[in-house]
Amino acid sequence: MSDIKWLPDGQKTFDKVIAAVPEGMREAMKPKLAEMLAAKVGSKKVSKKVVEAWVKEDLPEPQRSVLMAALGLDKPAASTAKVKKAVWKVTGSVKSAADLNTMKAVGQDLLVPKTLRIAVSSASCGLAKGSEQVAAALQAAIKKQKVSAEVVMVGSNGMSWAEPVVSVIKAGKPAVIYGSVTPEGAADIVKAAAAGKVAADALMRQDAVKVDVTGEKITYATGKLPASCSGLKDASKVAFFKQQQKIVSRNAGIIAPDRIEEYIGMGGYKALTKALTGMKPADVIGEVKSSKLRGRGGAGFPAGIKWDACSKAPSDKKYIVCNGSEGDPEIGLHKSFLESDPHMLIEGMILAGYAVGADEGYVYLNDRYVLAVERVQIAIAQAEKVGLLGTDILGSGFSFTLKVKRGGGAYVCGEETALLNALEGSFAEPRPRPPLPVHEGLNGKPTVVNNLETLSNISAIVLKGGKWFAGIGTPSSKGSKIVALSGNVAKPCWVELPMGTVIGDIIDTFGGGTASGKKVKAFQTGGPSGGLLPASKLKLKLDYDALNKAGSLLGSGGLLVMDEDCDVVDVARFLTEFFLEESCGKCTPCREGVKRLNEIVTCIAEGRGTKAQLALVKTMGEAMNTACFCALGKTAAAPILTVMKHFPKDVNAKMLKTIN
Amino acid sequence: MLKLKINGKNIKAKAGATVLEAARANGIDIPTLCSNDALKSYGACRMCIVEIEQNKRTTIEASCTFPAADGMSINTKSERVIAGRKLVVELMLSRCPNVKVVQDLAREYGIAESSTEWEQDNEYCILCGLCVRACNEVVGAGAIQFAGRGADKIVDSPFHQSAEDCIACGSCAYVCPTGIIKKNDLEVSAACSPEGAEQEGPKREILNWQVEYELKICTKCGNPFAPVPHLIKLEKELNCLPQFFNLCPSCREYIVVDKDKCLGCGSCMENCPVGALELDDQGGYEKYAKVYEINCMGCHTCERYCPAGALS
Amino acid sequence: MSDIKWLPDGQKTFDKVMAAVPDEMRDVIKPKLTQMLAGKAAGKPVSGDMVKEWVRDDLPEPQRSALMAALGMEPDGDQEAAAPVGAAAGWQGEAEIMFERMLQEVPDMMREVFRGKLMGIANEKAQGGPILEAHVLAIVKDIVPDPFKTKILKAFATMGGVDLSNLEELIEKTAGGQEVVMSLLHALQEEFGYCPKEAIVMISQRKDVPLATMYRLLTCYSAFRLEKPAKHVITVCTSTGAYVNGGGELLKQIKAKAAETGADVTIETARDIGCANVAPAILVDGAVYSGVQAQAKLEQIFSESN
């Protein structure tokens, strides 16, 4: 052993290895193993890592596994069972409109193959309900039944209550959509699919997908309706889909998010081609302006004006930043959407870069969005591979690079200046405005910071024109909005609806009313800053101004439903506590104010409220709205104030009972 | 010059000034807790809020960070502004009831005590961030920072252990408005151990960051004058004569300009680390170097850069 | 050097001495050594023998032995030959690794000599017991000169119970300064489940970010843990949607059960684990569970401690 130069931890590790050798063999093995190791390392010093590597690489089985286990090198399998994912390889490049068409054909062949395509929803909402296990079961059934089929992991079509959703597709036949699929039911589905039949519990069929925005049509069914489908309604007639306005979510649930060809098959990157080969940057801004698109993150600022200001700011370097920080404590509104169709966002960002003169973009995502981060990165890599990201895109001379940055977990980073701080590697706290980010943003350069959904709308606006977009919605709020239903609702889901849709209708049509069957008592839009509204306001429409006027806000589109059994004062307490946890602590009125507010609201929620406290809460709320640095502090009192205003009975019931 | 109105009065302000600077330059008082001329505006205390009417829109902004502009109309004492300031003061009072600067403000705004509906703490740090900003922006040591967030925010040394990057310059204690930063210069200190107390030389301790450093002794008069790490840092950054690090301010020799030798080239002025030199014609035809004795720290950097040997 | 009257072999020998001094120190040491030698020579011409004599008589350990070795001089009779001396009573904790790291700074040529000398000093400090980390630290602080001392102390600050080789590699691969720190912290969190202090010190040193800033980044974002989590991490969904569906109750239940059974769990909350359609849901060690499955998994975890 004197040949080996041991580092202390290396010696210890080797001793562990020897100790793992069965006693009877130890004396014989020790010198042999030492010789092996010595031969491997030569004169290098031997550390723990070296010994571990030697065990992993040079020892034969079964000793290797045993010794690896002894050294603790066999890491437990990842607890989220993953279907063995083959990394999708993209071939070809898109350097012109002709190339795009070629890849489109490839994509459409993938979407409607001659062999079976069994698409399993795999956004977070599906995975949470076990869609990976379903996919594995389908895979196994296919092998066992020797069927020619491919299991494809697609995104979510919004029907979260019916997850896991499985779509069976084959050229010529209508697609069949199954819901709430279990691993046990997989075999039947495969059997039925192979025989051209429909298994039990199918939800609906789909004859074709007409992508209004891009003008593409994905046709599944040709010819007569097969008998097996006679009981099934076509998706386009089902209220859940019929009443939606699928602009940004037009591909979600249909395409595999890790196959750029499929995105292109649906007409993706047509907008980019149109802009880069036939429009000037000012034209693109013009379309966004005439669309009257307002920021989908909450503030509702007109995107076109923002872009215009940025494009006019004199600078050699500009940035596009996507605000995907979405810290609103509801249903991960945009998470499922982004996981289903990352290219929708990417195309929008490239268009934004072209419009304002930025060559670099960042997608800032919430810390918890691990899957979304992964998918967006894959999508970026594929776009780079085919040449739709990088230098001289489509031969236009325009270059754009995109990176994903994962946040550290701070709700305040939804505020654009705090987000910029975080992107620069600094702390999660907002900066003073002015200067506005469009003049001095990331690294001091003009930056457009837009919400994820805002940017995802751009490709549609460029393709069909701003005027078309402005024709949808209400006078003050144009286009569509993703709304995610959660809470006491029978069918949690996410849908895309035209602005102006009545909120009560959303809950009934899409949410199926409350889960308990009881009446709706309260609802919340716009996250905690929107406070709670009573059932009497259910006739309000999805509209920035209307909701602002009602004392709430549209926000990012979460719609939380609360039924009669809900203790709204306690929910107000819960939301105030949320603000307490998320306050960055920079400014006094928010840091100290939310702390004191939380003390009082907890007191009230626990049934020890007093009139003096109610009056104080009102004063505090007003003063905080005046004095706080950013919107977090300014709206921190909204939960309790709205509850006081709209649910006086509930509040009264929480007052301290005096002995009179 | 910008032309704007504050409280009905027409005033002029330099281009690039903030509303706070414009107000102060015209003798109008706006209260602040977290502002300091030597440090970048932070906008954290919200005492300096004012009502600003600009382009037909009225908003409430922090005057320390908001740029003054032509045609603005500012009200430093509107109802909303006063209500906002009162909340800030009352909240501060509930957090720091025994801090003088907070008590003074409470008196000024007619707040006898903080609301009985709130709990009361007894902190001494108002989280103005002046110490952090001084350490990071001016001193460049970066030894302390905020830690935590929201109601748990504090100013701390990393991992709440001795701040290794601290040079004990005492800038933090200097800018702190509440006096909570305890900087003590000890002429004689003792290290106590079971074997008995061992006397040690003069030390400076800053209790808040758990640091304790030796003070350098002046080679001339024998008095302690600066913490050793501070001198080491300056040694790295300045290009001055070595004697600067061995002599205390009383024993140092300060710069005198020999006008006959001075060429008026300005090299001294460019290289003075504290801006103590200027070129001045003093009524004559040519410009000569002039020393501002109040600023001169006796480092003799200028002497090294003078081509004519006019400084001594 | 003009003070010394050099004889040719004296100059050569002195040059050998200088060559044996580590690069970083040479410029600093040279005038000092020259001065020393000049003092000793006192005007007399300096021969090779005089230089050697000076090395043997006037230089302190451990430089003395090292330079004697470099000059090929016979070690003193009462010194042991440079056979590696071991720790008399072993090492405590990281002391041996620290000792080795310290010796890494010594040029190859002189290392074994230094090892012997420093080991002797360490054994002396240990006074019959094992050599403690504090002993090695004292040697570095008191005996080792700068710039090595600072370098070694910096390296010590990044040593802990954790293997930082992956982090080191990642730091090398990732270009940039403070703006890339967050991605390094995420990587740390994923590898260890928390951010060990030594790792933070390493990032601070390599990316030139003040340690106080690193600490603030760690504490102002909720994603990073400063302490090693328990065997199992249970994350309860606390989105509002989950709350109105009874999530608050679930959290209380779990906390109570954990306290009752003393289970080795870390309980955390998260606003969005993307499962409002199965609310209230929990993550256990990264996997999602809801309803009956959640209860079953929880029972399994809590019964482990019994």
Side-chain angles (χ1 to χ4, degrees):
Chain A
M1 292 269 264
S2 50
D3 296 324
I4 299 183
K5 291 203 184 86
W6 292 108
L7 280 176
D9 63 342
Q11 174 92 74
K12 282 202 196 118
T13 313
F14 189 77
D15 288 343
K16 265 197 199 161
V17 170
I18 300 299
V21 175
E23 259 194 74
M25 307 190 48
R26 214 170 284 156
E27 285 308 307
M29 291 302 305
K30 192 163 172 180
K32 292 214 177 113
L33 289 174
E35 221 182 85
M36 271 186 84
L37 185 57
K40 181 185 177 74
V41 300
S43 61
K44 224 172 68 178
K45 281 220 177 71
V46 178
S47 69
K48 175 170 162 211
K49 270 208 128 192
V50 174
V51 178
E52 284 177 354
W54 163 69
V55 169
K56 252 195 218 169
E57 292 155 24
D58 294 351
L59 294 189
E61 292 292 358
Q63 291 85 335
R64 178 178 171 276
S65 296
V66 174
L67 293 173
M68 276 178 70
L71 293 178
L73 289 178
D74 53 342
K75 286 202 168 59
S79 42
T80 39
K82 283 194 165 71
V83 170
K84 250 181 297 157
K85 258 184 249 177
V87 175
W88 179 256
K89 285 208 166 56
V90 177
T91 49
S93 62
V94 179
K95 296 218 172 81
S96 64
D99 288 346
L100 189 71
N101 276 331
T102 312
M103 193 161 282
K104 187 173 73 175
V106 172
Q108 292 187 345
D109 277 341
L110 289 168
L111 288 167
V112 196
K114 301 221 172 48
T115 54
L116 272 174
R117 171 184 168 103
I118 304 187
V120 181
S121 68
S122 68
S124 284
C125 44
L127 295 170
K129 259 190 155 170
S131 61
E132 285 234 55
Q133 286 83 334
V134 166
L138 285 165
Q139 201 76 279
I142 286 170
K143 208 167 163 198
K144 189 160 175 212
Q145 296 176 28
K146 299 209 178 47
V147 176
S148 175
E150 190 193 23
V151 172
V152 181
M153 303 302 270
V154 298
S156 156
N157 64 0
M159 297 166 68
S160 313
W161 85 87
E163 293 285 1
V165 169
V166 173
S167 312
V168 174
I169 295 159
K170 190 168 178 182
K173 294 251 166 64
V176 181
I177 301 176
Y178 298 88
S180 304
V181 179
T182 59
E184 295 76 33
D188 285 339
I189 292 179
V190 174
K191 201 158 157 207
K197 295 215 177 66
V198 173
D201 297 330
L203 284 179
M204 61 187 81
R205 70 174 206 269
Q206 190 158 35
D207 294 341
V209 180
K210 254 188 80 190
V211 194
D212 180 43
V213 171
T214 60
E216 294 301 323
K217 188 169 179 196
I218 310 296
T219 311
Y220 298 127
T222 52
K224 248 174 49 180
L225 182 68
S228 52
C229 292
S230 56
L232 294 175
K233 220 170 163 182
D234 181 51
S236 60
K237 306 242 171 29
V238 171
F240 185 84
F241 291 111
K242 190 164 156 190
Q243 295 189 27
Q244 290 194 47
Q245 178 104 36
K246 282 180 141 336
I247 299 179
V248 310
S249 63
R250 57 187 184 262
N251 304 333
I254 301 170
I255 64 169
D258 62 347
R259 296 184 181 183
I260 191 174
E261 298 92 333
E262 295 190 11
Y263 177 75
I264 294 177
M266 302 286 281
Y269 288 110
K270 255 191 187 175
L272 185 62
T273 311
K274 178 179 175 187
L276 290 187
T277 58
M279 291 169 80
K280 292 210 258 323
D283 297 333
V284 178
I285 297 184
E287 292 298 342
V288 176
K289 267 175 138 173
S290 63
S291 76
K292 302 218 176 91
L293 171 70
R294 288 173 74 166
R296 297 286 190 250
F301 190 83
I305 298 182
K306 203 182 246 186
W307 288 26
D308 203 25
C310 184
S311 78
K312 294 199 167 102
S315 174
D316 52 341
K317 180 79 181 175
K318 298 184 188 172
Y319 296 95
I320 306 290
V321 169
C322 164
N323 185 344
S325 98
E326 192 170 271
D328 281 24
E330 285 113 45
I331 183 183
L333 168 64
H334 288 130
K335 189 179 202 221
S336 291
F337 160 63
L338 190 56
E339 291 163 355
S340 305
D341 190 3
H343 284 284
M344 189 69 65
L345 169 67
I346 295 173
E347 189 174 359
M349 288 184 78
I350 310 175
L351 284 164
Y354 179 64
V356 307
D359 66 347
E360 205 175 322
Y362 287 93
V363 182
Y364 182 87
L365 294 178
N366 189 329
D367 161 57
R368 289 265 166 203
Y369 276 29
V370 185
L371 183 58
V373 167
E374 215 183 280
R375 295 210 171 152
V376 177
Q377 278 173 337
I378 292 175
I380 290 175
Q382 292 185 353
E384 281 172 348
K385 181 134 199 291
V386 304
L388 287 166
L389 269 176
T391 47
D392 195 26
I393 301 173
L394 293 165
S396 65
F398 174 66
S399 307
F400 194 75
T401 54
L402 199 51
K403 282 208 188 79
V404 179
K405 280 240 168 148
R406 197 175 144 197
Y411 175 66
V412 74
C413 285
E415 206 280 335
E416 61 179 5
T417 61
L419 191 154
L420 292 173
N421 262 344
L423 267 181
E424 290 176 8
S426 185
F427 319 114
E429 63 177 23
R431 303 175 185 167
R433 282 185 299 187
L436 292 173
V438 287
H439 299 130
E440 275 177 53
L442 188 61
N443 303 326
K445 304 290 180 184
T447 307
V448 164
V449 182
N450 269 146
N451 177 269
L452 188 161
E453 193 179 335
T454 313
L455 287 164
S456 300
N457 271 289
I458 304 301
S459 58
I461 291 174
V462 166
L463 267 182
K464 294 205 76 170
K467 215 163 133 209
W468 159 84
F469 192 83
I472 304 166
T474 69
S476 72
S477 312
K478 304 295 183 186
S480 62
K481 182 77 194 73
I482 296 186
V483 174
L485 278 161
S486 69
N488 300 137
V489 72
K491 296 184 179 170
C493 58
W494 64 272
V495 291
E496 189 175 356
L497 303 170
M499 289 287 200
T501 307
V502 172
I503 292 179
D505 290 347
I506 302 177
I507 299 176
D508 290 331
T509 313
F510 300 97
T514 59
S516 59
K518 300 199 170 137
K519 287 221 210 77
V520 174
K521 176 171 179 179
F523 66 98
Q524 175 197 77
T525 61
S529 301
L532 298 173
L533 288 176
S536 58
K537 302 263 180 200
L538 280 170
K539 30 182 163 39
L540 276 173
K541 299 186 179 161
L542 274 186
D543 180 282
Y544 289 102
D545 294 357
L547 284 165
N548 279 341
K549 228 167 116 202
S552 178
L553 47 130
L554 181 55
S556 57
L559 179 52
L560 180 75
V561 179
M562 287 156 275
D563 69 14
E564 290 173 329
D565 289 337
C566 185
D567 181 349
V568 289
V569 182
D570 187 48
V571 174
R573 183 204 60 77
F574 176 79
L575 294 171
T576 312
E577 195 183 52
F578 169 75
F579 282 118
L580 180 65
E581 283 172 18
E582 297 293 339
S583 165
C584 76
K586 176 170 181 174
C587 74
T588 312
C590 174
R591 185 188 65 239
E592 308 296 332
V594 175
K595 184 167 157 192
R596 300 305 179 204
L597 200 62
N598 190 57
E599 286 165 8
I600 297 175
V601 176
T602 305
C603 197
I604 297 174
E606 289 175 354
R608 295 176 282 121
T610 65
K611 288 231 155 36
Q613 285 174 345
L614 296 180
L616 181 57
V617 163
K618 262 210 177 127
T619 322
M620 285 177 75
E622 262 179 59
M624 280 166 73
N625 199 343
T626 302
C628 286
F629 197 113
C630 78
L632 194 157
K634 286 185 198 259
T635 59
I640 186 62
L641 287 176
T642 50
V643 166
M644 279 165 57
K645 179 170 180 198
H646 297 296
F647 304 93
K649 277 212 220 122
D650 291 68
V651 173
N652 242 341
K654 296 282 187 178
M655 293 291 108
L656 191 58
K657 309 282 182 283
T658 49
I659 315 167
N660 275 339
Chain B
M1 292 295 270
L2 304 168
K3 297 210 191 89
L4 43 144
K5 262 203 176 111
I6 301 187
N7 297 337
K9 187 169 139 197
N10 285 321
I11 62 142
K12 291 212 183 95
K14 274 201 215 149
T18 60
V19 170
L20 180 66
E21 286 166 349
R24 285 188 169 162
N26 285 275
I28 298 169
D29 182 50
I30 299 180
T32 60
L33 276 175
C34 73
S35 104
N36 181 307
D37 289 336
L39 303 169
K40 271 198 291 217
S41 301
Y42 193 42
C45 70
R46 312 312 283 177
M47 280 304 290
C48 69
I49 47 173
V50 293
E51 200 167 290
I52 302 185
E53 196 198 306
Q54 191 183 27
N55 300 330
K56 300 211 187 86
R57 278 184 72 223
T58 305
T59 53
I60 307 269
E61 308 286 351
S63 53
C64 66
T65 50
F66 206 83
D70 264 331
M72 254 185 189
S73 181
I74 297 161
N75 187 341
T76 67
K77 296 202 184 112
S78 78
E79 240 182 83
R80 283 175 72 193
V81 164
I82 298 292
R85 285 197 201 136
K86 272 184 155 169
L87 178 70
V88 172
V89 174
E90 198 176 343
L91 285 169
M92 272 300 192
L93 197 61
S94 77
R95 179 192 160 88
C96 305
N98 294 309
V99 168
K100 183 166 186 302
V101 68
V102 173
Q103 291 168 338
D104 289 344
L105 276 172
R107 210 169 301 124
E108 194 187 319
Y109 282 86
I111 299 170
E113 57 167 14
S114 59
S115 171
T116 47
E117 303 294 346
W118 301 338
E119 285 169 32
Q120 214 185 56
D121 302 314
N122 190 16
E123 297 290 335
Y124 283 83
C125 172
I126 59 172
L127 290 172
C128 61
L130 286 166
C131 55
V132 169
R133 286 143 63 203
C135 187
N136 282 278
E137 286 173 32
V138 175
V139 177
I144 54 172
Q145 252 297 353
F146 285 115
R149 76 177 182 205
D152 298 330
K153 197 169 197 171
I154 53 173
V155 177
D156 205 0
S157 51
F159 297 94
H160 198 60
Q161 290 166 356
S162 172
E164 291 170 3
D165 296 328
C166 175
I167 59 171
C169 64
S171 304
C172 50
Y174 183 76
V175 295
C176 174
T178 71
I180 187 54
I181 300 181
K182 307 292 182 207
K183 173 185 78 127
N184 300 326
D185 284 353
L186 310 167
E187 260 196 57
V188 170
S189 64
C192 299
S193 67
E195 286 105 43
E198 212 184 279
Q199 260 211 359
E200 292 180 346
K203 286 216 172 132
R204 167 171 295 173
E205 55 178 16
I206 303 185
L207 298 173
N208 307 55
W209 327 131
Q210 302 168 61
V211 293
E212 186 188 271
Y213 293 117
E214 249 179 74
L215 285 168
K216 187 90 187 255
I217 312 252
C218 173
T219 50
K220 198 158 171 201
C221 66
N223 289 321
F225 69 100
V228 170
H230 189 180
L231 292 173
I232 294 180
K233 185 174 201 286
L234 288 175
E235 223 174 322
K236 285 194 206 139
E237 291 169 6
L238 299 177
N239 190 13
C240 56
L241 289 185
Q243 57 151 348
F244 175 71
F245 302 107
N246 295 318
L247 297 175
C248 71
S250 319
C251 298
R252 273 178 221 149
E253 290 161 359
Y254 292 89
I255 291 294
V256 169
V257 182
D258 184 342
K259 280 205 233 163
D260 295 327
K261 290 193 183 159
C262 175
L263 301 172
C265 66
S267 308
C268 58
M269 183 176 79
E270 280 168 25
N271 289 291
C272 172
V274 289
L277 284 159
E278 245 193 28
L279 288 181
D280 196 306
D281 61 26
Q282 294 165 39
Y285 290 113
E286 288 160 355
K287 284 198 166 172
Y288 300 102
K290 178 173 166 198
V291 182
Y292 284 92
E293 284 160 26
I294 255 183
N295 289 352
C296 176
M297 60 174 186
C299 67
H300 291 245
T301 306
C302 52
E303 196 180 317
R304 299 177 85 135
Y305 284 92
C306 176
L311 301 165
S312 57
Chain C
M1 296 270 265
S2 49
D3 294 325
I4 298 184
K5 296 199 185 86
W6 290 105
L7 289 175
D9 71 330
Q11 178 86 76
K12 274 208 201 128
T13 312
F14 188 77
D15 287 343
K16 262 202 202 159
V17 168
M18 288 319 304
V21 174
D23 285 336
E24 297 106 325
M25 302 191 58
R26 207 166 288 139
D27 285 333
V28 182
I29 287 269
K30 192 162 180 179
K32 293 203 177 135
L33 291 178
T34 314
Q35 213 176 46
M36 272 183 85
L37 186 57
K40 183 182 182 75
K44 276 194 293 188
V46 175
S47 67
D49 282 337
M50 182 183 289
V51 177
K52 285 188 178 169
E53 206 186 284
W54 163 70
V55 169
R56 187 198 295 274
D57 295 341
D58 294 353
L59 291 189
E61 291 292 0
Q63 291 84 337
R64 175 177 171 273
S65 293
L67 292 173
M68 280 170 68
L71 293 178
M73 290 160 74
E74 284 293 315
D76 303 329
D78 59 4
Q79 303 284 333
E80 281 163 32
V85 179
W91 303 89
Q92 175 253 20
E94 304 286 317
E96 190 172 9
I97 298 183
M98 288 166 70
F99 191 83
E100 290 299 327
R101 179 65 189 79
M102 171 181 70
L103 283 179
Q104 268 179 44
E105 293 300 321
V106 180
D108 287 336
M109 183 166 53
M110 320 225 288
R111 195 169 296 141
E112 292 315 305
V113 179
F114 269 79
R115 182 190 296 275
K117 291 288 155 197
L118 293 174
M119 186 68 77
I121 298 173
N123 275 324
E124 246 181 71
K125 283 183 185 283
Q127 296 181 340
I131 300 179
L132 307 177
E133 291 172 15
H135 297 147
V136 182
L137 192 59
I139 292 178
V140 175
K141 282 196 173 151
D142 301 335
I143 300 179
V144 177
D146 263 316
F148 305 111
K149 172 157 85 170
T150 313
K151 222 172 152 196
I152 296 172
L153 286 177
K154 268 189 162 186
F156 282 174
T158 66
M159 287 162 70
V162 206
D163 180 3
L164 295 179
S165 37
N166 283 341
L167 177 67
E168 260 190 278
E169 239 186 271
L170 185 61
I171 293 178
E172 299 282 305
K173 261 196 331 201
T174 317
Q178 189 170 333
E179 70 276 11
V180 303
V181 168
M182 287 288 280
S183 62
L184 296 172
L185 292 178
H186 277 301
L188 261 187
Q189 180 78 15
E190 275 183 37
E191 190 179 342
F192 299 107
Y194 73 114
C195 297
K197 182 181 174 195
E198 312 83 76
I200 301 303
V201 173
M202 181 182 279
I203 300 177
S204 164
Q205 287 173 2
R206 308 274 174 106
K207 291 298 180 189
D208 203 26
V209 174
L211 193 62
T213 302
M214 293 294 307
Y215 186 62
R216 184 173 178 192
L217 285 172
L218 279 175
T219 53
C220 81
Y221 291 106
S222 57
F224 309 116
R225 290 187 203 112
L226 280 169
E227 277 164 14
K228 197 167 180 188
K231 184 164 170 214
H232 295 290
V233 178
I234 302 177
T235 312
V236 182
C237 176
T238 51
S239 65
T240 327
Y243 189 73
V244 304
N245 278 325
E249 273 313 305
L250 181 61
L251 178 61
K252 277 198 206 136
Q253 264 177 38
I254 295 177
K255 279 190 173 156
K257 200 70 195 283
E260 191 191 305
T261 59
D264 192 8
V265 292
T266 297
I267 300 173
E268 295 180 344
T269 58
R271 303 282 173 190
D272 154 46
I273 17 188
C275 34
N277 53 320
V278 294
I282 59 173
L283 288 175
V284 180
D285 301 327
V288 187
Y289 301 87
S290 72
V292 175
Q293 295 150 312
Q295 290 300 332
K297 184 73 184 176
L298 287 170
E299 267 195 50
Q300 183 207 344
I301 304 266
F302 289 129
S303 59
E304 262 176 38
S305 54
N306 294 341

